[in-house]
Each structure stands twice: as C-alpha cells, then as structure tokens.
Amino acid sequence: MADRNSKWAREGFETYAYILLYIALSSGQIFFNKWVLSSKEINFPYPLGLTLLHMVFSSVLCFMLTKVLKIMKVEEGMTLEIYMSSVIPIGAMFAMTLWLGNTAYLYISVSFAQMLKAIMPVAVFILGVAAGLEMMSCRMLLIMSVISFGVLVASYGEINISWVGVFYQMGGVVGEALRLIFMEILVKRKGLKLNPISVMYYVSPCSAICLLIPWIFLEKSKMDAQGTWNFKPLILALNSLCTFALNLSVFLVISHTSALTIRVAGVVKDWVVVLLSAILFADTKLTLINLFGYAIAIAGVAAYNNHKLKKEASRVVSSDEPAQSLPLVSSPNSNK
C-alpha cells in the first residue's frame, strides 16, 4: 500500500510538473518574443527574421536528434504526394501564423493580442464548415456568438488600439485556423498520424523556406541598411531553444495526461499572460471592460473545448481503436 501511494504521489507530481512547465514555457515564450522584438537593448524589430531563425533552429535540431544522435525517431508513412498536398500547405500556414502573430507585437500589447486570439475557435469552425469538416448547429452558432461578442467587448475596452496590429493578429488567427483545417484533413482523409518531433521534422524546413522568400524582400535590406547583423546571438539562440522546448512540452503534457488537460492549461496560460503583461510591459493598460469581455470569450472557448472533447471521445469509443501516436491536430505551436 505504501509503495502504491508513493507511486501515485510521484506520478501526480510529474503530471503537475509537466503542466507547470508548459504554462511557464508558453507564457515565457510570448514575453520573450515581445522583448526581443520591442526592446531597444536587443534592437531586433524583425518578426520575419525572428520566426525564420526559429524554424531554421528547429530544422537543424530535429535533424541532429533524429538522424545524427538518433535519440528520437521520425515515424514512417510520409510520401511525396502527402508532403506536397498536405505538409507544404501546413508549413506555409504555420509560417504565416508565426510571422503575422509576432509582427502584431510591434503594434499592440501582449494582453490585447492574447484577447484577440480567443476568436480562434470561430475562425476554425467557419473554415471547417466550408471544408465540410464541421456541421452547423444551433449550439455551435450560440458558442461562436458568445466568443465573438466577448472579443468585441474586450476590443471596445482597449485604450490604445492599433488597427494595424489588429489586422496582423487577425491574419495570424486565420493562418492558424487554416493550418488546423489542413492538419485535420491530413488525419481524416490521408490517415497519417505523427508524433510532435516528426511534425517538426517535416514542417519546420518547409516553414523556413516559406519565410525565407518574404524575408529577403521585406526585411533583409532593412537589416543591411541599419547594420543590425551585429545582434546578440546568445539571446536569439536561447529564444529559439525556448521555442523548441515549448513544442516538446506540449507533447509531454498530452502523453502524460490528456487533450482536456492541455486545453485547460491553455486557458490558465492565457489568463497568466494577460495579467502578467500588465505588470511587465508599459504599453499594457487593462480596463474592466477588457477583462469582462475576455472572460465572456473564455467562457465561450471553454464551451467549445468541451463540445469538441465530447465529440472526440464519442469518435474514439465508436472506433474502439487505441491511438499509438498523436494526431496532427494535437500538434503544438497553436498555444504560442
């Protein structure tokens, strides 16, 4: 009995440790990106360049871990047809999401950007209906209306609103919604399931190439003209490593708990980011209208997550087939 209690205590401690690690890394990475892009000390206001660096770093590290050191294994099943029809669109949308989301930090506060991200389920649902992956229902229409109303109220309460920043953030939301739709198509229609290290191994190089082209035309000349190639490599390398660690932390949480846990942890993380940003950044001024609107939106998000999880649970029960690896729709980075 003592050994059993000790085992339960150890497993419980590990579970909470993984959850706290995910919340810390996810929140910290958002603040880290904001600091790198906005800080005069770092002097690196180049969201395309920063995102490109993340993808190159992830590509190299995945290759080292899987092909050189062979610590982790890339799952098989990838074909040229699947890569061309599914992975490339996913990589392109992932690049778009990170690029536009990081650019938004140059114009709006971290807390307001996080509030705008609450509209994500609405974008995913609308695109899912258009792609034939979701069915319109009164229940879902009500949930989407609640989320939209909450985000509108939160936006109305924003004191220093920048519509350029809102445009970039909404573009990032649409990119992320498209990425999730493409991944769900890959799982449902192609039947391919990959673990997170495999997802990063295949997607990161594609995203890096998609980012390289606009970076050459939009930011390279600015970096050359301003002489900002003398950036601090240690800080940028640490920033890239934290991004990679965040991706793996999502895998650890899901593999040791459940999809419900990662979604609840994501809601907790959102509130942590919103409240801490008011303390850490001078451009963040929260109002009661902000918080009230965001609370409404989060309530809608919670209802959406509950609906999706019940749907997934019924699908698993009907198929009666245990999953051996994580589907792409549970891939990380959507929680950045």
Side-chain angles (χ1 to χ4, degrees):
M1 181 65 69
D3 292 340
R4 183 180 300 177
N5 291 336
S6 177
K7 181 181 179 181
W8 285 346
R10 184 172 64 255
E11 291 178 350
F13 175 79
E14 289 179 356
T15 298
Y16 283 111
Y18 287 133
I19 294 172
L20 290 175
L21 176 65
Y22 160 73
I23 294 175
L25 284 173
S26 184
S27 305
Q29 187 62 36
I30 292 173
F31 296 140
F32 202 170
N33 287 346
K34 171 72 173 180
W35 180 63
V36 169
L37 292 168
S38 305
S39 171
K40 293 181 179 179
E41 293 84 0
I42 304 301
N43 191 30
F44 198 82
Y46 304 105
L48 256 175
L50 182 65
T51 309
L52 175 60
L53 181 63
H54 289 167
M55 292 299 98
V56 171
F57 186 92
S58 178
S59 301
V60 173
L61 198 53
C62 283
F63 181 81
M64 293 293 294
L65 290 174
T66 58
K67 300 300 182 181
V68 179
L69 300 177
K70 296 183 178 180
I71 298 175
M72 298 179 177
K73 182 181 179 181
V74 176
E75 295 186 15
E76 300 178 354
M78 182 62 65
T79 64
L80 180 61
E81 187 273 332
I82 292 177
Y83 193 89
M84 296 294 292
S85 63
S86 299
V87 175
I88 289 180
I90 290 171
M93 291 303 101
F94 189 37
M96 172 182 170
T97 298
L98 298 177
W99 166 24
L100 297 180
N102 282 332
T103 303
Y105 291 143
L106 297 175
Y107 300 94
I108 58 178
S109 65
V110 171
S111 62
F112 187 47
Q114 206 67 24
M115 292 177 186
L116 292 176
K117 286 180 185 178
I119 202 74
M120 178 71 69
V122 178
V124 173
F125 179 71
I126 292 174
L127 292 173
V129 171
L133 297 172
E134 296 282 357
M135 294 293 293
M136 183 66 72
S137 66
C138 293
R139 176 184 175 86
M140 289 303 295
L141 191 61
L142 176 61
I143 292 174
M144 297 302 112
S145 300
V146 169
I147 295 174
S148 301
F149 177 72
V151 172
L152 285 175
V153 172
S155 302
Y156 179 78
E158 182 68 11
I159 297 176
N160 299 317
I161 190 170
S162 168
W163 292 109
V164 175
V166 171
F167 173 79
Y168 278 120
Q169 187 61 53
M170 289 296 98
V173 167
V174 171
E176 176 67 3
L178 285 171
R179 182 181 75 91
L180 293 174
I181 293 299
F182 280 126
M183 290 194 296
E184 189 161 354
I185 290 174
L186 181 60
V187 171
K188 285 187 175 181
R189 299 182 183 174
K190 309 288 185 180
L192 183 64
K193 295 184 179 181
L194 302 172
N195 59 32
I197 193 69
S198 300
V199 174
M200 288 188 286
Y201 177 83
Y202 289 119
V203 172
S204 296
C206 178
S207 297
I209 294 174
C210 292
L211 290 165
L212 178 63
I213 298 173
W215 174 77
I216 291 174
F217 289 101
L218 298 177
E219 288 187 355
K220 184 178 182 298
S221 58
K222 295 179 182 179
M223 294 175 69
D224 291 336
Q226 297 181 12
T228 49
W229 287 100
N230 295 321
F231 50 75
K232 299 180 179 179
L234 182 60
I235 291 179
L236 294 181
L238 182 60
N239 182 265
S240 300
L241 182 61
C242 288
T243 301
F244 187 83
L246 171 60
N247 294 337
L248 291 183
S249 73
V250 176
F251 168 64
L252 288 173
V253 173
I254 294 177
S255 62
H256 284 80
T257 55
S258 66
L260 174 60
T261 302
I262 194 68
R263 294 189 184 191
V264 172
V267 172
V268 174
K269 179 265 299 181
D270 291 340
W271 276 106
V272 169
V273 170
V274 168
L275 298 176
L276 280 183
S277 63
I279 301 173
L280 297 176
F281 298 105
D283 64 345
T284 302
K285 293 179 176 61
L286 293 177
T287 65
L288 289 177
I289 298 178
N290 274 146
L291 296 175
F292 178 68
Y294 188 51
I296 295 175
I298 287 296
V301 171
Y304 172 80
N305 286 341
N306 182 61
H307 176 79
K308 293 293 290 183
L309 286 167
K310 286 182 178 179
K311 187 176 179 181
E312 291 170 9
S314 63
R315 186 183 306 152
V316 170
V317 170
S318 62
S319 64
D320 195 26
E321 181 178 333
Q324 298 299 321
S325 58
L326 295 175
L328 283 179
V329 288
S330 297
S331 158
N333 297 303
S334 58
N335 297 310
K336 280 184 185 176

